[in-house]
Amino acid sequence: FFVNLFHNIVYNKSIFDLKMPESMIVSYFFAAVFGAVLASFLVHEYDNYGSDNKTAKLRSVCDHCEQQLNAYNLVPIFSYIFQLGKSSCCKKRLSFKYLFTELALAAFFVLCVYMGNLFSLGLIIPALILLALVDEKYQEIPIGLNIFIFIWVIANASFIENLLFAGAVALFLLTLYWGYLKYRKVEGLGLGDIILLGSITLYLGFPNALYLITISASLLLLKIIASRRYQERHAFGSWIVLTFGAFILFQEFYGFAG
């Protein structure tokens, strides 16, 4: 992909191949639009997660004055550019995260279409990133995201051969959960983490799931040591999904390049 992109820029003076079929250009365009819209939705959901204001969840409001936004304020990428990065109601500066996430996910979806993995790779990575951000901030895993990951695993993996190992991992983690809860009266590992690990184990199987758990736990341990917050609770699910995302990306890009 990057070799072709470099060739087009240097020799064709264009990002796209001038001989590219129109159908591919249309596919890239709609993938970019879909990615930008999805990014806008995910940022909205993250910003309003845990909010008691149900109205704010249904309709986007200004970050500063909380006035409801109009339709022309909600066009991904272009609204931010045409408004010069400011809100149209109170003229205050908007966070750059809106433009960055919309551009990044639009570009990522175009890459997924190029690789032919829009509805596998393209859908799971944004969900994993959202889950990681929510878990890191609120230390809880939304059940909706857990269900989505489970459905994605069922649709994209030969999970039958991993059922026994995934069941054994889930049983072991549940034993740890109930044992720790009984003797310490607090949760050492959340049920959301256990469900998440069960889904990931179905996808990866043995021994890759053990590698993932080891890497995730090591990264969390390094974070605790670096932050020196030894007595505080730390999210584990965020490190699980980020490591899982890295596994998926490596498998997809390695398979595509090979």
Side-chain angles (χ1 to χ4, degrees):
F1 172 77
F2 295 105
V3 172
N4 291 338
L5 179 62
F6 177 78
H7 180 276
N8 292 334
I9 293 175
V10 173
Y11 294 101
N12 298 330
K13 309 300 182 182
S14 172
I15 294 178
F16 297 104
D17 186 351
L18 297 179
K19 298 180 180 179
M20 182 185 302
E22 291 185 3
S23 60
M24 287 302 300
I25 297 177
V26 172
S27 298
Y28 289 150
F29 172 76
F30 281 107
V33 171
F34 183 37
V37 170
L38 180 60
S40 179
F41 170 76
L42 293 179
V43 170
H44 173 263
E45 288 301 299
Y46 174 72
D47 287 342
N48 291 282
Y49 186 83
S51 173
D52 293 329
N53 189 347
K54 302 301 182 182
T55 303
K57 280 191 172 185
L58 295 175
R59 291 288 303 274
S60 295
V61 297
C62 175
D63 292 347
H64 305 287
C65 65
E66 297 189 352
Q67 178 178 322
Q68 283 192 350
L69 301 181
N70 297 310
Y72 58 81
N73 300 128
L74 302 175
V75 181
I77 300 176
F78 293 102
S79 291
Y80 188 97
I81 294 174
F82 291 142
Q83 293 172 197
L84 302 178
K86 297 180 181 180
S87 61
S88 60
C89 46
C90 57
K91 305 302 180 182
K92 291 185 178 180
R93 178 66 61 182
L94 296 173
S95 173
F96 183 70
K97 69 182 180 183
Y98 299 113
L99 181 62
F100 174 78
T101 54
E102 290 163 6
L103 285 173
L105 200 53
F108 179 69
F109 270 42
V110 170
L111 177 60
C112 289
V113 169
Y114 179 82
M115 297 174 60
N117 285 331
L118 178 60
F119 293 105
S120 56
L121 182 64
L123 294 181
I124 190 62
I125 296 299
L128 296 179
I129 294 174
L130 178 61
L131 191 153
L133 292 173
V134 170
D135 190 41
E136 195 66 27
K137 184 175 181 178
Y138 298 100
Q139 295 188 6
E140 66 179 54
I141 298 177
I143 185 63
L145 286 176
N146 244 338
I147 293 173
F148 174 80
I149 292 172
F150 176 76
I151 295 173
W152 182 89
V153 167
I154 297 301
N156 290 275
S158 301
F159 62 92
I160 300 297
E161 59 189 22
N162 298 328
L163 274 175
L164 184 61
F165 177 64
V169 170
L171 182 60
F172 174 73
L173 293 175
L174 283 172
T175 302
L176 287 180
Y177 171 83
W178 291 113
Y180 195 89
L181 184 63
K182 179 178 180 180
Y183 290 103
R184 298 295 297 270
K185 308 303 180 184
V186 293
E187 291 184 345
L189 183 69
L191 287 175
D193 296 322
I194 296 174
I195 296 172
L196 177 64
L197 280 171
S199 298
I200 292 175
T201 303
L202 272 179
Y203 182 84
L204 294 177
F206 178 86
N208 289 335
L210 295 182
Y211 297 153
L212 178 139
I213 294 172
T214 302
I215 294 173
S216 302
S218 299
L219 291 173
L220 176 58
L221 182 60
L222 288 174
K223 176 210 169 185
I224 294 173
I225 294 173
S227 64
R228 298 183 179 180
R229 297 176 179 176
Y230 305 111
Q231 303 300 322
E232 298 181 13
R233 289 175 56 87
H234 295 270
F236 185 36
S238 56
W239 298 96
I240 295 171
V241 294
L242 290 177
T243 306
F244 182 47
F247 273 48
I248 294 173
L249 288 174
F250 176 79
Q251 290 176 346
E252 293 292 338
F253 281 101
Y254 182 79
F256 180 77

